[in-house]
């Protein structure tokens, strides 16, 4: 059985805690590896050596750090297929989707090549008599990234790129469900020229996470995962004086106006609702057609598209639209919620409950489901299902539709499909959600903009990637300087203007 340990000081290191977790193949339900779960002592030792290594890295000029990012981009492109294969094997997503996972991470590393520009400070000449004032952005020291199972390349790269390019050392605690890809990323960072100790990958569960949150050397914690854990990490990290940004779950609504092109809207819903088996924080899980006529026509277009979806293992290649969900527990939870939806009165228009795949009976495959006549009081509307289940909530008017999205506790992403510019503009301006698509179902911002949800989808002040990430991973210092020739007076006891 393959044993996955930790990546510490530039080497693979076996775990010493005596605790491990099984890494499953979601397509077959077989254990394919065991991953070490770090103890507090292992975590603390990794932080201590990261802190030592960080001093020289933080003092390295930003151009040299940017060159490491440049080389990392080349290596990620070189190893794209290998990385994607590791993702598909442990996560279950299709091979092209796994390549997309690497690609969207790689784009943030490309952005990080601009670190010298992004880290430039500000300067005011002659802020007072003989006085110059300047501010600089300095790295925080050792920072941590705690990441979810659903994007094992993209989100670790979103965390490590800006943190490392800004001169920090990072403790990455990836998901224990698919740990191989993050370990490969660490090897690539070393090959790209990152000094040993600057990126430590510590595998583990709550024990390792709590050790990060309580370690006094760790200055900042960036988290992505479910909302209850995001809230927990945010409150414990900030109570311990750390800077923290924690991104949580989602329930993304797509509003379909009567004037929308319904074929386009149906295609968009199928891709955004069922791609990656619905295991995306930007998946559309609620369709809100406006008016019964729009709803009836939309459902008519959706049903054959959903029934034609091909579910299977990534090894089946391009013949597959989505793969299994990540664990047996996730599958059981999705099917339980489907039953709850039925019991609470929603109409199951496409029923995937009996889905089974010959030869893969032990895999965690879930067929596609479509609910109609879902209402806001139902559990399937309130809960993030994180599976191939799309709920339709019929709204009588645009106001009712936008109100639904605004009243929901999550605020990650949303979309509106319409041909009307006024409606689209009003929606974009009024909606209290972080990422908005206009005729775009999954509006994930590109690397040079920032990514982040509102309400219970995001805790903390700054977003991921883009310029915000460089702000998050640096602190500003402002210097006021006057040289002896500029000093015209003796001791001053009062605050006064500098003129
Ligand atoms: P999760 O919250 O179970 O796990 C995320 C991380 O937290 C993992 O590294 C895990 O080991 C750790 N963790 C789990 N339980 C913990 C505990 N009790 N104490 C401390 N640490 C703990 O999330 P997941 O199932 O891996 O990922 C899916 C979730 O992530 C979904 O809710 C999805 O919406 C969300 N997500 C959000 C975004 C975003 O940007 N908002 C992006 C991707 C995924």
């Amino acid at each position: 059985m393959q044993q996955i340990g930790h990546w510490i000081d530039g080497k693979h290191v076996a775990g010493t805690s005596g605790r491990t977790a099984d890494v499953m193949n979601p397509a077959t339900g077989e254990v394919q590896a065991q991953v070490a779960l770090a103890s507090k002592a292992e975590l603390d030792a990794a932080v201590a050596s990261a802190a030592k290594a960080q001093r020289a890295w933080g003092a390295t000029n930003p151009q040299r750090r940017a060159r490491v990012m440049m080389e990392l981009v080349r290596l990620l492109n070189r190893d794209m297929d290998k990385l994607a294969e590791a993702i598909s094997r442990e996560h279950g997503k299709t091979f092209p989707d796994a390549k997309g996972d690497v690609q969207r991470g790689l784009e943030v590393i490309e952005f990080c090549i601009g670190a010298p520009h992004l880290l430039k400070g500000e300067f005011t000449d002659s802020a007072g008599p003989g006085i110059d004032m300047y501010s600089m952005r300095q790295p925080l020291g050792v920072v941590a990234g705690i990441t979810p199972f659903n994007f094992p390349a993209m989100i670790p790269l979103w965390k490590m790129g800006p943190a490392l390019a800004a001169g920090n050392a990072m403790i990455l605690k990836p998901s224990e469900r698919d740990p191989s890809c993050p370990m490969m990323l660490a090897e690539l960072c070393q090959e790209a020229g990152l000094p040993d100790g600057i990126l430590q990958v510590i595998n583990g569960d709550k024990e390792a996470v709590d050790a990060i949150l309580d370690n006094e050397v760790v200055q900042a914690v960036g988290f992505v995962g479910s909302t209850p854990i995001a809230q927990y990490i945010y409150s414990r990290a900030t109570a311990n004086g750390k800077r923290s940004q924690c991104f949580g779950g989602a329930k993304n609504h797509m509003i379909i106006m009567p004037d929308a092109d319904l074929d386009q809207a149906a295609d968009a819903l199928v891709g955004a609702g069922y791609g990656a088996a619905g295991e995306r924080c930007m998946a559309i899980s609620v369709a809100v057609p406006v008016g019964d006529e729009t709803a009836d026509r939309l459902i008519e277009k959706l049903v054959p598209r959903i029934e034609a979806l091909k579910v299977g293992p990534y090894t089946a290649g391009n013949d597959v639209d989505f793969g299994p969900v990540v664990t047996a527990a996730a599958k059981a939870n999705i099917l339980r919620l489907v039953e709850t939806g039925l019991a609470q009165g929603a109409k199951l228009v496409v029923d995937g409950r009996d889905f089974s795949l010959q030869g893969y009976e032990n895999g965690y495959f879930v067929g596609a489901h479509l609910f109609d006549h879902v209402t806001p009081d139902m559990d399937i509307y309130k809960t993030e299902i994180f599976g191939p289940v799309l709920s339709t909530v019929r709204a009588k008017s645009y106001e009712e539709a936008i109100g639904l999205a605004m009243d929901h506790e999550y605020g990650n992403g949303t979309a509106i499909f319409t041909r009307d510019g006024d409606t689209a503009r009003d929606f974009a301006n009024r909606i209290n959600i972080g990422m908005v698509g206009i005729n775009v179902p999954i509006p994930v911002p590109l690397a040079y903009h920032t990514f982040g949800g509102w309400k219970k989808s995001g805790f903390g002040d700054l977003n991921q990637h883009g310029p915000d990430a460089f702000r998050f991973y640096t602190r500003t210092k402002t210097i006021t300087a006057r040289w002896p020739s500029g000093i015209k007076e003796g001791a001053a006891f009062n605050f006064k203007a500098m003129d």
Side-chain angles (χ1 to χ4, degrees):
M1 177 76 57
Q2 187 199 356
Q3 299 293 323
I4 301 169
H6 312 292
W7 176 265
I8 299 177
D9 299 342
K11 286 186 274 303
H12 288 284
V13 172
T16 56
S17 71
R19 291 194 314 124
T20 57
D22 290 340
V23 180
M24 309 304 292
N25 178 341
T28 62
E30 287 162 354
V31 179
Q32 53 184 340
Q34 280 176 328
V35 61
L37 301 175
S39 64
K40 177 167 165 36
E42 287 171 293
L43 186 280
D44 287 344
V47 171
S49 76
K52 254 191 230 158
Q54 190 273 334
R55 284 179 219 131
W57 178 244
T60 301
N61 79 51
Q63 245 166 298
R64 284 187 188 278
R65 297 197 301 253
R67 281 187 201 126
V68 173
M69 296 293 130
M70 218 180 293
E71 180 61 2
L72 184 57
V73 168
R74 189 184 72 78
L75 298 175
L76 288 166
N77 275 310
R78 183 195 70 188
D79 286 4
M80 173 87 72
D81 285 4
K82 259 203 256 175
L83 293 159
E85 216 273 329
I87 293 170
S88 294
R89 208 172 52 232
E90 293 178 355
H91 175 287
K93 63 175 80 173
T94 65
F95 186 66
D97 198 35
K99 281 171 77 164
D101 188 334
V102 181
Q103 176 63 31
R104 291 308 287 263
L106 181 159
E107 288 168 12
V108 168
I109 305 298
E110 285 174 337
F111 176 75
C112 292
I113 295 170
H117 173 70
L118 289 155
L119 293 169
K120 273 191 313 201
E122 293 171 331
F123 185 87
T124 303
D125 168 49
S126 299
I131 293 175
D132 298 328
M133 195 173 285
Y134 57 99
S135 20
M136 51 169 106
R137 295 198 162 276
Q138 295 192 316
L140 300 177
V142 180
V143 300
I146 301 167
T147 57
F149 82 84
N150 67 328
F151 283 102
M154 181 181 87
I155 296 180
L157 288 166
W158 286 9
K159 298 285 168 219
M160 67 172 80
L164 303 179
N168 300 283
M170 168 159 272
I171 306 294
L172 176 69
K173 207 304 284 170
S175 171
E176 60 275 40
R177 311 220 185 290
D178 41 19
S180 289
C181 177
M183 296 296 265
M184 291 163 77
L185 296 178
E187 289 170 2
L188 292 183
C189 284
Q190 184 181 54
E191 194 181 340
L194 189 73
D196 294 346
I198 298 300
L199 175 67
Q200 314 273 53
V201 184
I202 303 298
N203 284 304
D205 57 3
K206 181 169 167 54
E207 184 172 339
V209 171
D210 286 348
I212 290 171
L213 300 177
D214 294 341
N215 186 299
E216 286 184 0
V217 175
V218 174
Q219 298 295 304
V221 177
F223 169 87
V224 180
S226 60
T227 288
I229 310 297
Q231 276 178 304
Y232 164 71
I233 289 180
Y234 185 73
S235 55
R236 188 153 166 176
T238 50
N240 284 338
K242 300 184 196 315
R243 190 177 285 195
S244 187
Q245 54 172 203
C246 296
F247 300 95
K251 196 78 178 173
N252 304 319
H253 294 53
M254 180 168 134
I255 293 170
I256 302 99
M257 296 299 293
D259 66 351
D261 180 320
L262 288 189
D263 284 305
Q264 279 179 6
D267 285 339
L269 271 169
V270 171
Y274 301 95
E279 290 178 322
R280 290 183 184 138
C281 69
M282 289 294 277
I284 294 290
S285 48
V286 183
V288 189
V290 172
D292 271 333
E293 198 196 325
T294 312
D296 292 340
R297 283 171 51 221
L298 182 70
I299 295 281
E300 206 175 283
K301 288 182 186 294
L302 280 174
V303 170
R305 284 169 165 84
I306 296 169
E307 285 175 343
L309 288 173
K310 294 187 220 98
V311 186
Y314 79 95
T315 42
N318 290 338
D319 286 341
V320 169
D321 294 311
F322 66 87
V325 298
V326 69
T327 57
K331 175 175 175 171
N333 187 46
I334 293 163
L335 293 176
R336 180 187 62 77
L337 279 160
V338 168
E339 294 302 332
T340 311
L342 278 167
Q344 293 179 347
K347 187 172 166 204
L348 192 55
V349 189
V350 179
D351 184 351
R353 283 175 297 168
D354 291 336
F355 180 84
S356 151
L357 196 63
Q358 207 182 351
Y360 293 89
E361 288 79 3
N362 295 326
Y364 313 136
F365 292 97
V366 180
H369 294 77
L370 174 66
F371 275 110
D372 194 2
H373 298 287
V374 174
T375 52
D377 54 323
M378 293 180 185
D379 289 349
I380 53 169
Y381 179 73
K382 292 188 272 191
T383 314
E384 180 185 44
I385 302 176
F386 225 54
V389 182
L390 179 64
S391 296
T392 310
V393 181
R394 293 171 175 237
K396 289 193 178 56
S397 63
Y398 165 67
E399 281 304 323
E400 187 186 337
I402 189 173
L404 281 166
M406 288 180 72
D407 289 346
H408 205 285
E409 65 174 358
Y410 290 116
N412 212 40
T414 187
I416 186 164
F417 272 61
T418 181
R419 287 188 168 97
D420 184 280
D422 274 341
T423 309
R425 186 169 183 277
D426 180 76
F427 184 74
N429 285 340
R430 275 166 62 199
I431 196 77
N432 54 357
I433 289 175
M435 292 168 282
V436 182
I438 297 171
N439 299 316
V440 173
I442 306 190
V444 175
L446 289 176
Y448 40 93
H449 287 264
T450 70
F451 181 109
W454 291 13
K455 300 187 277 183
K456 288 207 165 162
S457 297
F459 304 89
D461 299 324
L462 292 164
N463 278 353
Q464 305 194 84
H465 67 63
D468 265 15
F470 279 82
R471 291 184 196 115
F472 182 74
Y473 289 115
T474 53
R475 59 169 68 93
T476 305
K477 185 182 280 177
T478 307
I479 291 100
T480 306
R482 178 158 63 179
W483 296 99
S485 65
I487 301 174
K488 302 280 186 254
E489 57 187 37
F493 298 96
N494 303 318
F495 268 138
K496 55 180 185 160
M498 273 197 181
D499 48 21

